[in-house]
Amino acid sequence: MASLPLSCSSITPTTTTTRTFVTAPPGLSAHNATRTRRFNLSCKAKNGGDEQRETLGNEETFQGKFDRRNLLVGMGGLYGAANLVSAESSPAFASPISAPDLSKCTRGTNLNTQQPLDVNCCPPLSQKIIDYKLPPITKMRFRPAAHLASQEYIAKYEKAVELMKALPEDDPRSFMQQANVHCAYCNLTYEQTGDPSMRLQIHNSWHFFPWHRWYLYFYERILGKLIDDPTFGLPFWNWDNPPGMVMPNMFVKKDSPLFNPRRNQDHLPPAATDLNYAGKPTTDPSKIIPNNLTEMYSEMVRNVSTLEDFYGAKYVTGDKPDPGPGTVERGSHTALHVWVGQATPSGEDMGNFYSAGREPLFFSHHANVDRLWSIWRGLRGPKPKDFPESDWLNANFLFYDENAQLVRVKVADTLENQKMGFVWQEVDLPWLNNRPTARVKKSKVATTTAAPKATETVFPVKLDKVVKVLVDRPKKSRSKKDKEKEEELLVIDGIEVDTAKFVRFEVYINDEDDKADEIIDKAEYAGCYSQVPHKNSTKVKSKIRLGLTELLEDLDVEDDDKILVSLVPRAGGEDITIGGIKIIYAS
């Protein structure tokens, strides 16, 4: 099967957004803690927005507790110093997520009990932050498929991780400090810059892909510097391809620095990776590979007509965390986090956000997630590949680079892997044309035995059993032109879960099987929702959007005015509440 080229390009058109905020300017809070200002922000940026800011060379230096970014927030709205964008007429403010103030990092809190967490993920502090500029590319870093890596490469990788683990504990490049980067950004330990009443979370939103790309980028560069190899690239766990659907052998040697004892012992080689893992063994292992390929097709082809469906929901300053995950994040990504982690409620290491970075396999897992992002962009052809909004492009984060220098980075610089200086080994994409077939076509759901029960469903509803709902379709018999213009989407809203729990449910259309078996290799499968447990425990409300256009074609029900939606709990259903279901149309 032909491999897909990973060279991608993007066009960022002009965009205009208008937002209204109420905030207490944190830069002035020490002088007037009670002052509240209302800002009407009209944000207009072209090509992602060029920064307009005063710096000394390419760095800013902060002394004491004074933070120049906070002054800008206090004087001009919810926008960090790194994010001033140029408009065609005059500078304007926007509201992207901005780099956190590391000095305000906390241990985090169990928000259900209001007790502090028993781990401290906060990074070392630095008085100097440099705005990172991608260096000139002289040689590409090469990321091999883990199952195809040579013994020479494996020895080099083991040496690099060994040296990283030997660094002083307080060195921000050390193995545990690097693990804590993920812990801190993922467990609500930072407050949002510009709105301290809200906490920062980079999962379950449109920042999932770019943040993790930056995370791997610096981790990889640190390893390369430790072994003096500027071409070193992380291996990717090729779990979307059957030959790679097993835990790579390099990670299971007990005398290797890549080994971790805190794994599910039932999932060591030769066990096949389950991209639909729900916390318990499948009853029929022969279904795993076909189900995996159907899941990948769903995540990468069927359910990603619009940007939000692939990337996740928009998330800006002032928003609550976890607005909604994209297809890969809530699907295969989450499944393998939990599949690798210990078979315990907390799932350490890989099966919990606070400890996931302590698992060497985490970085190869996410190297494949990162690869899928570039593949998806390549599959888009002339369609938009990236959000044009400055709220996304100018979002920025802090990382320590290979020189232990604290740097500020932007989403806009992550869009093309080759410009960042790395490529992946090319392998087959067996899921690309793996369009599933329907079990039953032309199912008139209004006459089925399930339909009367479905009409009795009242939201919100707890998902402690299979829930079936008849959903009206506002438009039917759509033309080819209509379909090309707008995707028909099933929106499942108000998904309330406890972040400390692993949960998963699947969604089927016109599937009358009440047995809720483990076969997703069928056209009736619309997608899933799942989450990796967090160390902090709080209730969040999220949403997912599932593409229906192709699915309804496969079921031959495009003329029906209703569809039967089945919500099938696979894990933690007693901890899941669904707020509502509807169909929308979006381009």
Side-chain angles (χ1 to χ4, degrees):
M1 179 174 294
S3 298
L4 183 73
L6 299 181
S7 178
C8 309
S9 61
S10 63
I11 299 174
T12 311
T14 300
T15 183
T16 302
T17 60
T18 300
R19 301 182 182 276
T20 300
F21 300 95
V22 178
T23 184
L28 304 180
S29 58
H31 303 288
N32 188 350
T34 62
R35 176 175 296 178
T36 299
R37 292 186 180 180
R38 181 178 298 273
F39 303 103
N40 294 297
L41 309 180
S42 179
C43 310
K44 190 176 184 182
K46 188 175 183 179
N47 295 330
D50 298 321
E51 296 181 1
Q52 291 189 351
R53 52 188 308 203
E54 296 179 3
T55 58
L56 181 60
N58 192 37
E59 67 182 52
E60 289 183 74
T61 301
F62 307 116
Q63 297 179 351
K65 296 183 178 180
F66 179 80
D67 189 327
R68 179 176 177 272
R69 291 168 297 166
N70 281 349
L71 179 59
L72 285 169
V73 170
M75 293 174 64
L78 303 176
Y79 208 64
N83 292 325
L84 298 183
V85 298
S86 64
E88 292 178 310
S89 55
S90 61
F93 290 103
S95 58
I97 290 294
S98 293
D101 183 343
L102 302 190
S103 69
K104 295 181 180 179
C105 179
T106 66
R107 293 176 68 93
T109 303
N110 181 324
L111 297 181
N112 288 332
T113 64
Q114 298 304 314
Q115 296 300 309
L117 300 182
D118 57 358
V119 295
N120 186 356
C121 307
C122 296
L125 299 181
S126 174
Q127 292 297 314
K128 185 172 71 172
I129 301 174
I130 292 178
D131 288 324
Y132 190 75
K133 304 297 181 185
L134 290 172
I137 306 302
T138 55
K139 292 183 178 180
M140 285 286 178
R141 296 178 182 271
F142 180 74
R143 295 181 175 179
H147 70 287
L148 299 176
S150 67
Q151 289 302 312
E152 179 184 4
Y153 171 85
I154 293 172
K156 183 188 298 185
Y157 184 30
E158 289 179 332
K159 184 62 176 179
V161 174
E162 177 184 348
L163 292 172
M164 177 182 274
K165 289 184 174 182
L167 290 172
E169 184 178 334
D170 60 350
D171 189 321
R173 302 168 300 169
S174 69
F175 186 80
M176 275 303 295
Q177 290 291 351
Q178 285 295 299
N180 283 342
V181 172
H182 191 266
C183 177
Y185 269 100
C186 307
N187 277 280
L188 308 182
T189 61
Y190 296 127
E191 61 186 37
Q192 290 183 17
T193 297
D195 189 347
S197 69
M198 291 292 175
R199 308 303 285 184
L200 177 61
Q201 168 63 270
I202 51 79
H203 288 88
N204 298 320
S205 78
W206 63 356
H207 293 315
F208 170 75
F209 284 105
W211 185 92
H212 282 87
R213 176 165 284 183
W214 276 124
Y215 185 30
L216 297 186
Y217 174 86
F218 288 114
Y219 184 86
E220 184 174 70
R221 292 178 71 86
I222 292 168
L223 292 175
K225 181 163 186 175
L226 289 172
I227 57 174
D228 194 25
D229 182 357
T231 66
F232 174 80
L234 286 166
F236 67 91
W237 182 8
N238 187 205
W239 40 254
D240 61 301
N241 187 14
M245 288 179 182
V246 65
M247 191 179 295
N249 285 322
M250 71 172 77
F251 292 95
V252 298
K253 296 189 299 179
K254 291 188 177 181
D255 60 347
S256 169
L258 304 178
F259 177 74
N260 183 358
R262 301 216 291 183
R263 293 174 182 154
N264 189 320
Q265 299 303 298
D266 292 334
H267 295 162
L268 302 179
T273 56
D274 187 352
L275 303 187
N276 305 280
Y277 185 62
K280 56 185 178 182
T282 180
T283 58
D284 186 353
S286 68
K287 296 176 183 175
I288 292 180
I289 301 301
N291 282 351
N292 285 351
L293 295 176
T294 297
E295 179 63 33
M296 290 309 306
Y297 182 84
S298 172
E299 294 176 9
M300 296 290 291
V301 181
R302 167 169 280 178
N303 273 325
V304 289
S305 292
T306 70
L307 295 174
E308 181 175 331
D309 303 325
F310 179 77
Y311 281 103
K314 298 180 180 182
Y315 177 50
V316 298
T317 301
D319 286 350
K320 293 181 179 180
D322 303 286
T327 53
V328 173
E329 181 179 7
R330 67 176 184 257
S332 54
H333 158 261
T334 293
L336 284 191
H337 263 279
V338 179
W339 187 86
V340 172
Q342 287 180 310
T344 62
S346 52
E348 288 92 348
D349 277 333
M350 184 107 148
N352 200 299
F353 274 152
Y354 92 91
S355 55
R358 302 177 186 182
E359 166 60 80
L361 187 52
F362 166 93
F363 297 94
S364 287
H365 172 46
H366 267 276
N368 198 48
V369 172
D370 194 39
R371 166 180 163 268
L372 292 176
W373 180 16
S374 283
I375 290 174
W376 178 81
R377 294 181 80 253
L379 292 173
R380 295 289 284 178
K383 295 180 180 179
K385 299 173 175 63
D386 310 296
F387 294 99
E389 291 96 329
S390 59
D391 283 353
W392 187 65
L393 294 167
N394 284 338
N396 57 95
F397 317 104
L398 294 178
F399 292 94
Y400 281 96
D401 70 5
E402 66 271 23
N403 300 311
Q405 170 62 56
L406 189 61
V407 297
R408 184 186 291 116
V409 298
K410 295 191 303 182
V411 166
D413 289 330
T414 66
L415 305 185
E416 298 185 43
N417 59 281
Q418 291 188 346
K419 289 185 178 179
M420 296 184 77
F422 62 88
V423 293
W424 294 269
Q425 182 175 0
E426 292 191 7
V427 292
D428 288 342
L429 304 175
W431 45 263
L432 186 57
N433 297 308
N434 193 63
R435 185 169 177 170
T437 57
R439 279 186 171 184
V440 180
K441 288 192 174 185
K442 205 64 179 177
S443 174
K444 292 295 184 180
V445 299
T447 62
T448 65
T449 57
K453 296 179 182 179
T455 59
E456 299 171 3
T457 302
V458 178
F459 291 98
V461 61
K462 187 176 289 293
L463 211 56
D464 53 358
K465 60 182 179 299
V466 175
V467 172
K468 293 181 178 289
V469 186
L470 275 177
V471 180
D472 291 325
R473 295 181 61 218
K475 303 176 184 179
K476 61 180 182 178
S477 305
R478 297 198 301 150
S479 67
K480 181 180 179 181
K481 184 177 181 180
D482 291 335
K483 295 175 187 177
E484 291 174 349
K485 182 179 179 181
E486 291 183 321
E487 173 70 17
E488 186 167 355
L489 293 163
L490 182 71
V491 179
I492 303 177
D493 209 348
I495 304 172
E496 184 172 340
V497 296
D498 185 335
T499 57
K501 307 287 182 66
F502 168 56
V503 299
R504 177 183 171 92
F505 68 86
E506 295 164 3
V507 184
Y508 297 86
I509 306 299
N510 285 17
D511 189 11
E512 301 169 37
D513 186 1
D514 283 321
K515 296 179 181 179
D517 61 23
E518 297 172 340
I519 300 176
I520 72 164
D521 182 24
K522 55 187 177 183
E524 289 85 351
Y525 176 65
C528 72
Y529 174 90
S530 62
Q531 73 163 16
V532 178
H534 302 45
K535 185 68 172 179
N536 61 294
S537 177
T538 185
K539 295 285 187 181
V540 299
K541 285 189 177 181
S542 190
K543 70 174 180 180
I544 59 174
R545 309 192 329 172
L546 306 173
L548 293 178
T549 301
E550 181 182 284
L551 185 153
L552 297 178
E553 289 177 356
D554 291 343
L555 299 184
D556 193 21
V557 293
E558 296 175 279
D559 296 335
D560 287 10
D561 55 9
K562 296 178 186 292
I563 57 172
L564 178 65
V565 177
S566 299
L567 307 178
V568 182
R570 298 295 190 196
E574 66 279 3
D575 296 311
I576 306 172
T577 300
I578 304 297
I581 300 178
K582 63 182 177 181
I583 289 177
I584 66 170
Y585 300 85
S587 57

